[in-house]
Amino acid sequence: MDLILISAAFVAGFIALKCHLPPLVGFLLAGFGLHAFGHTSNETIVELADLGVTLLLFSIGLKLDIKVLMSKEIWGGATLHNLLSTSLFTLILGCFKLLGVSSLASMDYSQLALLGFALSFSSTVFAVKSLQEKGEMNATFGSIAIGILVMQDIFAVVFLTASTGKLPHWYAIGLFILPFLRPLFYRLLDKVGHGEMLILIGIFFALVVGAGLFELVGMKADLGALILGMLLAGHSKASELSKALFNLKEIFLICFFLNIGLSVQPTLAGLALAVLILLLLPLKGVLYFWVLNRFKFRVRTSLMASFSLLNYSEFGLILGGLAYKMGWMGDDILVALALSVSMSFIVAAPINRKGHELYQKSAKWLKEQTAENLHIKDRRINPGHAQILILGMGRIGTGAYDDLRERYGKISLGVEVREDAAHEHRAQGRNVIAGDATDSDFWERILDTANVKLVLLAMPHHQGNQIALEQLKRRAFKGQIAAIAEYPDQVDELMESGVDAAFNIYREAGSGFARHVCDQLSPNFTKV
């Protein structure tokens, strides 16, 4: 059985990849296909799927600044969208009921409101995977989308707690001691090094300290993992820990998507309702765009965040399952929820992949904010007299910046997607601004690029560098362009796309190390 699941997941994921779709679409279809041949989900798959979601939320927490959740565009936007979408979906479902949709005929309006509430959520798993694959987790729209998803997760946890009547145990108050234990957690992270013990302590924090403690006191385990991640987000190893857990989390999440397909027994009534629910998905996206645009974000930021959130959520399935157990929904409704969630992933995957192109085509029809009214995160950028732009100020970009400053003086400008990271660079004396170099409006936001002679594409994700290169070419940039890549085929691809120089970071690191050793030690070798 395990061999069949692994084989089916691999084949379907590979086919999806070759069709320029995220592999998760293949995993979903593999689940449906296996179910059609009589296979069903089992305890092992469910447990691994739960582990994947727990590690995912822990990883989100590691990258999440609590100040992000406190910003009005996050908590206000999430709350406003939830209220509007729940109300609109309830109204439309009520119309479907009056029009004679059989699955909804026996439901009263409070039950329809619960279904509308379940449909108002977006999938954390899908959105995060989509953003990670494109390297846009830290982009302005990516941060907004993640913040809204975390708020929605909190809404769902509160609702689940209230609806089941299971209040946390009285000793849950002991969880308030966790922030005071942060220095101890930090010390442990300092001591474990960078190998397998770092991965193990990450799993320990996520599953035992976070999920385990919260479950022990009667609260949702996933919320515990998220909060533990947020407590550790300020540590210098937080990013390294997130990367160390990445592949493990990805493997477990394969089971999550397989489990959705394996758990559904389609019926004609359920499928018909699922199609109707899927037709409501554009309305959900329009509401996201409208809400975010009210907070003075640019059209592109609002639109790209809306694309990331354009799906239905696995939390909808959880709420539907609870309602089914309590007799509030029929089995056809639960089937329709499961199918609509799955189909929304399949619809949203190509939309997210083509998001930049869709924006280019639709921007002229959408009214942009005036420059003086823009949100502070979306305002115009002044590069000064910079002759070199370094896009991506991670370890490689920072190293390049420092070396170029030693050689030529203060002629470089670094561009970093995260405002807090840009602020830290400025505190260390570097000329760095916050901005998203994959943003098709990025170059338009820069007031003057006449002095720029060289652009270094130093972002950690190949796709991000490719998108930035496309934007440069579209604007007929006249200077030189150099880029980094992780693999030889990516170097070839960048050269074919028009960069003047491309470098394999691992090979160049080795060459640089050898040059540094020879310069410092001047060894007396005999050449042969």
Side-chain angles (χ1 to χ4, degrees):
M1 175 64 177
D2 292 338
L3 292 176
I4 294 174
L5 291 176
I6 293 170
S7 301
F10 170 75
V11 171
F14 184 78
I15 292 173
L17 194 63
K18 290 304 175 184
C19 293
H20 303 290
L21 292 171
L24 65 87
V25 174
F27 305 147
L28 276 170
L29 294 176
F32 287 128
L34 288 167
H35 194 285
F37 284 98
H39 298 285
T40 57
S41 188
N42 56 50
E43 228 174 280
T44 302
I45 293 175
V46 172
E47 287 181 5
L48 292 177
D50 289 342
L51 282 174
V53 173
T54 301
L55 289 177
L56 174 71
L57 289 173
F58 179 67
S59 298
I60 293 172
L62 288 172
K63 297 180 179 180
L64 194 65
D65 185 348
I66 188 65
K67 290 183 288 187
V68 172
L69 293 183
M70 294 297 103
S71 58
K72 61 183 180 180
E73 63 266 19
I74 299 301
W75 65 263
T79 303
L80 182 58
H81 182 272
N82 186 267
L83 291 172
L84 289 174
S85 57
T86 299
S87 301
L88 181 61
F89 288 161
T90 302
L91 179 63
I92 295 173
L93 291 170
C95 292
F96 287 163
K97 173 186 167 99
L98 293 175
L99 290 171
V101 176
S102 59
S103 301
L104 303 175
S106 61
M107 298 178 68
D108 60 34
Y109 283 95
S110 62
Q111 293 168 342
L112 291 176
L114 176 58
L115 180 55
F117 181 63
L119 295 174
S120 71
F121 292 95
S122 297
S123 171
T124 302
V125 178
F126 179 90
V128 171
K129 277 187 65 64
S130 177
L131 289 168
Q132 281 179 336
E133 286 171 2
K134 296 184 293 179
E136 295 173 336
M137 281 283 288
N138 292 321
T140 302
F141 71 86
S143 299
I144 292 169
I146 296 300
I148 288 175
L149 288 166
V150 171
M151 289 303 303
Q152 289 183 352
D153 289 349
I154 293 172
F155 296 160
V157 169
V158 170
F159 176 81
L160 287 171
T161 302
S163 61
T164 55
K166 293 180 181 178
L167 295 174
H169 300 301
W170 66 267
Y171 43 83
I173 196 171
L175 294 176
F176 286 104
I177 201 173
L178 286 176
F180 299 100
L181 295 176
R182 181 156 51 178
L184 173 61
F185 298 154
Y186 277 25
R187 208 167 295 125
L188 285 171
L189 277 173
D190 288 333
K191 298 291 184 184
V192 295
H194 303 277
E196 64 272 12
M197 285 302 296
L198 181 64
I199 299 175
L200 189 57
I201 199 172
I203 295 172
F204 172 76
F205 280 137
L207 302 184
V208 179
V209 182
L213 282 181
F214 271 64
E215 197 165 25
L216 189 65
V217 300
M219 297 182 70
K220 202 167 187 312
D222 295 344
L223 180 63
L226 175 67
I227 289 175
L228 234 300
M230 291 168 65
L231 286 176
L232 300 176
H235 194 275
S236 59
K237 283 187 179 177
S239 178
E240 183 184 353
L241 178 57
S242 177
K243 291 175 182 176
L245 292 173
F246 181 82
N247 288 332
L248 187 64
K249 172 198 69 182
E250 294 290 288
I251 291 295
F252 289 152
L253 285 176
I254 292 173
C255 295
F256 171 83
F257 292 107
L258 276 175
N259 185 55
I260 291 179
L262 288 167
S263 302
V264 177
Q265 176 61 54
T267 62
L268 286 177
L271 180 60
L273 182 57
V275 171
L276 287 177
I277 290 173
L278 193 65
L279 293 176
L280 303 181
L281 195 58
L283 293 177
K284 186 175 188 175
V286 169
L287 284 176
Y288 273 126
F289 178 83
W290 183 85
V291 168
L292 292 174
N293 209 235
R294 298 285 75 73
F295 286 98
K296 309 299 181 183
F297 285 105
R298 289 180 302 124
V299 164
R300 192 242 183 206
T301 301
S302 302
L303 195 63
M304 295 297 289
S306 300
F307 287 157
S308 298
L309 299 167
L310 188 65
N311 51 69
Y312 294 122
S313 172
E314 58 279 358
F315 265 124
L317 290 178
I318 296 171
L319 293 174
L322 173 66
Y324 177 71
K325 288 179 184 176
M326 301 184 79
W328 299 341
M329 289 183 186
D331 53 358
D332 282 346
I333 305 296
L334 189 59
V335 168
L337 271 175
L339 288 172
S340 60
V341 168
S342 305
M343 290 190 292
S344 75
F345 290 173
I346 294 170
V347 169
I351 291 176
N352 275 269
R353 186 177 180 83
K354 299 288 185 181
H356 297 279
E357 296 175 28
L358 292 172
Y359 164 67
Q360 290 288 342
K361 293 176 181 177
S362 60
K364 59 184 177 182
W365 307 107
L366 300 170
K367 185 179 178 182
E368 187 60 271
Q369 302 282 353
T370 58
E372 61 273 13
N373 287 333
L374 280 174
H375 193 283
I376 190 170
K377 295 179 180 178
D378 260 357
R379 287 181 185 166
R380 304 283 272 179
I381 296 169
N382 184 3
H385 300 290
Q387 298 178 53
I388 303 173
L389 285 182
I390 302 175
L391 308 182
M393 287 295 290
R395 284 174 291 184
I396 295 173
T398 300
Y401 182 100
D402 292 342
D403 186 76
L404 289 165
R405 182 167 59 182
E406 286 183 17
R407 291 171 183 265
Y408 304 108
K410 298 180 179 180
I411 65 169
S412 300
L413 173 65
V415 179
E416 168 60 47
V417 291
R418 291 171 52 201
E419 177 60 51
D420 57 337
H423 179 76
E424 188 175 334
H425 280 298
R426 290 193 293 269
Q428 294 173 6
R430 300 185 185 96
N431 182 23
V432 177
I433 59 173
D436 179 6
T438 66
D439 188 337
S440 56
D441 284 347
F442 176 76
W443 304 104
E444 294 176 12
R445 289 175 62 209
I446 294 180
L447 297 176
D448 182 16
T449 58
N451 293 323
V452 178
K453 299 174 182 177
L454 173 65
V455 174
L456 303 185
L457 304 179
M459 290 176 282
H461 294 275
H462 178 61
Q463 189 175 7
N465 287 327
Q466 279 188 309
I467 292 170
L469 175 61
E470 289 169 8
Q471 299 302 329
L472 283 165
K473 289 167 62 180
R474 189 173 288 125
R475 285 160 180 77
F477 176 67
K478 302 298 183 183
Q480 295 178 304
I481 304 171
I484 62 169
E486 290 183 89
Y487 306 106
D489 62 314
Q490 293 178 346
V491 171
D492 295 338
E493 191 175 344
L494 286 165
M495 292 299 294
E496 290 171 5
S497 298
V499 299
D500 298 286
F503 304 92
N504 184 309
I505 56 176
Y506 300 118
R507 182 176 177 181
E508 293 302 317
S511 299
F513 178 53
R515 286 194 301 269
H516 185 71
V517 168
C518 293
D519 291 342
Q520 291 290 314
L521 303 182
S522 300
N524 186 20
F525 296 131
T526 301
K527 188 174 181 179
V528 294

